[in-house]
Each structure stands twice: as structure tokens, then as C-alpha cells.
């Protein structure tokens, strides 16, 4: 079966709803505890720096730089898509946080952790920016090394939130599903306009 953007949008939305129901019911606690304990041996001092690569300021700034880069490369569609998906995902995630109103395991302003917990803005923002960039580079048959680095960056930034105990792993899953759905939605729109 070949996955289409429409199928990813539907699957991502359904998966997000299922995860959010489990989060609201508190059924994700064993998974969150297991992942947190599994990641604890990692050095949190290093990840305090890594996590900044998923902050709203960095995501917005790099989205704007990405817009300029793709324009310079002569690809206005990808230019606007990167900016709209990157910034749009962050804004949508903030709205969802207000809807659920779930408290964080730890409030820490120095780690950009003062809003509600679910879904994680760092996880959604990093996947929206770095993940979308990796996808576009993959589609354009660009450097596999750069693609690999970008995907590792998504993973490192997202898991840094759990390592630093400012998010639960379920928040990260929710953030990934939000970003994945936004990326797939953008692909669906672009394909419809270019057919």
C-alpha cells in the first residue's frame, strides 16, 4: 500500500486524538515513567543546550532563513511552505496546549517551560522545521548525510524535553503527530495545486 498525503493527514489526526484521550485519562503514565527512567543516564547539561534548537525563537528565525534560502534557490513554493508549516505548527500547538491545560512535570523558565505540557512545542516545532527540511531534501535527492543529521536533530531536541523533565514522553508523541499532520497537509495542498 502506498501512503498518500491524505492518508497521513487522516492517520495522524486519528492517532493524535487517540493519544490525547489516553493522556486525558492518565493511561500514559507507565509509558512516560519507563521512557523517563530509560533516558535518565544521558547528560542533562548537554541537552539543556540541545533543547534550545527547538525553542520558538530558533524555529521562527530558521523558518524565515529557510524562506529566504528557498527563494534564493528559485523555489517559492518550498520557501513559503517551510515558513508556514514551521510557524503555523508552533501556533497551533500553543492553541492545543490551552485546550488541554495539562500541567508539566516541572516548570522552568530557563528551559522555556512555562506553558502547559501537552503537546510539546519543541517536539512539534523541531519536526515541522527540521523534519520538513529533511523530507524536501530527500525528495530532491540531496545529501543523505544532511538528511540524517536533521532527523537526529528532531530526535535529540524532542527527547531533550523528557531528559530535562519539562515534558512527558506522551507530550513529545503528541507534538510529533501534530507536526506530521501539518507536513502531510502541506504536501496534500501542494500536490492538488500542481496537478
Amino acid at each position: 500500500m502506498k501512503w498518500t498525503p491524505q492518508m497521513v493527514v487522516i492517520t495522524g489526526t486519528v492517532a493524535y486524538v487517540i493519544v490525547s484521550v489516553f493522556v486525558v485519562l492518565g493511561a500514559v503514565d507507565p509509558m512516560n515513567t519507563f521512557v523517563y527512567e530509560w533516558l535518565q543516564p544521558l547528560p542533562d547539561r548537554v541537552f539543556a543546550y540541545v533543547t534550545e534548537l527547538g525553542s520558538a525563537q530558533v524555529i521562527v528565525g530558521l523558518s524565515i532563513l529557510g524562506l529566504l534560502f528557498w527563494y534564493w534557490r528559485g523555489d517559492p513554493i518550498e520557501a513559503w511552505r517551510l515558513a508556514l508549516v514551521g510557524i503555523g505548527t508552533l501556533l497551533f500547538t500553543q492553541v492545543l496546549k490551552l485546550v488541554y491545560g495539562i500541567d508539566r512535570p516541572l516548570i522552568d523558565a530557563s528551559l522555556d517551560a512555562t506553558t502547559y505540557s501537552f503537546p510539546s512545542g519543541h517536539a512539534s516545532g523541531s519536526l515541522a522545521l527540521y523534519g520538513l527540511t529533511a523530507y524536501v531534501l530527500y525528495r530532491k535527492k540531496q545529501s543523505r548525510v544532511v538528511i540524517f543529521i536533521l532527523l537526529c536533530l528532531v530526535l535529540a531536541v524532542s527527547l531533550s524535553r523528557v531528559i530535562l523533565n519539562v515534558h512527558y514522553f506522551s507530550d513529545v508523541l503528541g507534538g510529533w503527530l501534530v507536526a506530521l499532520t501539518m507536513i502531510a497537509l502541506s504536501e496534500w495542498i501542494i500536490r492538488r495545486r500542481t496537478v
Side-chain angles (χ1 to χ4, degrees):
M1 176 177 74
K2 185 177 179 183
W3 283 86
T4 64
Q6 298 94 312
M7 291 169 63
V8 176
V9 168
I10 294 166
T11 304
T13 302
V14 170
Y16 178 82
V17 169
I18 291 169
V19 169
S20 66
V21 167
F22 278 98
V23 166
V24 169
L25 294 176
V28 291
D29 293 346
M31 175 190 68
N32 289 334
T33 301
F34 172 79
V35 174
Y36 176 73
E37 290 175 353
W38 184 66
L39 292 172
Q40 270 317 286
L42 294 172
D44 58 354
R45 185 172 296 164
V46 171
F47 284 95
Y49 293 104
V50 171
T51 203
E52 289 304 315
L53 296 172
S55 68
Q57 297 90 334
V58 171
I59 297 297
V60 170
L62 290 178
S63 294
I64 293 168
L65 283 177
L67 181 141
L68 297 173
F69 171 78
W70 286 115
Y71 255 113
W72 175 70
R73 291 283 302 263
D75 197 339
I77 290 176
E78 291 303 343
W80 282 108
R81 170 160 65 161
L82 184 66
L84 291 173
V85 170
I87 297 169
T89 298
L90 284 178
L91 293 173
F92 187 53
T93 302
Q94 293 306 312
V95 170
L96 290 172
K97 283 175 182 285
L98 294 173
V99 168
Y100 292 97
I102 294 173
D103 292 328
R104 292 175 179 270
L106 175 70
I107 299 290
D108 191 336
S110 68
L111 295 172
D112 194 22
T114 55
T115 59
Y116 289 117
S117 193
F118 181 81
S120 166
H122 280 66
S124 66
S126 63
L127 181 55
L129 177 66
Y130 307 126
L132 175 57
T133 303
Y135 171 71
V136 172
L137 293 176
Y138 172 79
R139 233 186 49 238
K140 294 178 180 289
K141 301 186 180 353
Q142 299 295 315
S143 171
R144 290 185 179 182
V145 173
V146 174
I147 293 168
F148 178 74
I149 290 170
L150 288 168
L151 294 177
C152 286
L153 199 54
V154 172
L155 196 60
V157 169
S158 299
L159 294 182
S160 74
R161 306 307 280 170
V162 179
I163 293 165
L164 297 168
N165 198 33
V166 292
H167 272 296
Y168 302 106
F169 182 64
S170 54
D171 302 335
V172 170
L173 282 180
W176 283 343
L177 289 168
V178 169
L180 179 67
T181 304
M182 295 287 276
I183 291 169
L185 182 61
S186 72
E187 183 70 11
W188 185 2
I189 293 168
I190 286 171
R191 289 190 187 184
R192 286 191 60 164
R193 293 188 58 140
T194 55
V195 171

